[in-house]
Amino acid sequence: MKTEALKKQDSIDLEPFYQAMEDEPRLLEEAFETLLEMVNSEPRSAKKLALLIKQDFHDLYKEIAELCKPDQNKGDTPSCCGGH
């Protein structure tokens, strides 16, 4: 009987949660920020998430890689030096 009650708890309908995030993009951003903060505190989880993004979410990976590229106009000068 107790096992059945636990199964019912585990089968929470998340559809309203997902729908709310679709309807309100800020909720999605907040949920994502919270998730990233949780993952960032655990190095193994961070590496697993990075690999997941690289392997399964290639468009997101490309966007991240693009953001990480040094600005071509600034050369190799560290940003602390103004990039000149």
Side-chain angles (χ1 to χ4, degrees):
M1 206 56 154
K2 193 173 189 177
T3 304
E4 196 62 36
L6 290 174
K7 284 183 182 178
K8 286 182 181 180
Q9 280 183 328
D10 288 342
S11 66
I12 296 172
D13 182 15
L14 294 174
E15 191 59 37
F17 175 71
Y18 299 142
Q19 188 61 51
M21 287 192 295
E22 281 186 30
D23 294 343
E24 185 57 50
R26 183 65 193 143
L27 291 176
L28 178 61
E29 289 175 26
E30 288 177 17
F32 195 63
E33 286 175 20
T34 301
L35 177 64
L36 289 176
E37 286 174 10
M38 292 168 59
V39 167
N40 197 40
S41 66
E42 177 57 45
R44 288 189 328 208
S45 294
K47 186 170 186 168
K48 286 180 183 179
L49 181 60
L51 287 171
L52 178 68
I53 290 170
K54 184 178 180 181
Q55 294 170 354
D56 295 344
F57 300 95
H58 195 67
D59 289 340
L60 178 59
Y61 176 76
K62 288 191 310 188
E63 288 294 328
I64 293 170
E66 190 66 33
L67 289 172
C68 292
K69 286 183 181 176
D71 190 348
Q72 298 298 331
N73 297 332
K74 293 184 181 178
D76 293 331
T77 308
S79 61
C80 64
C81 301
H84 297 287

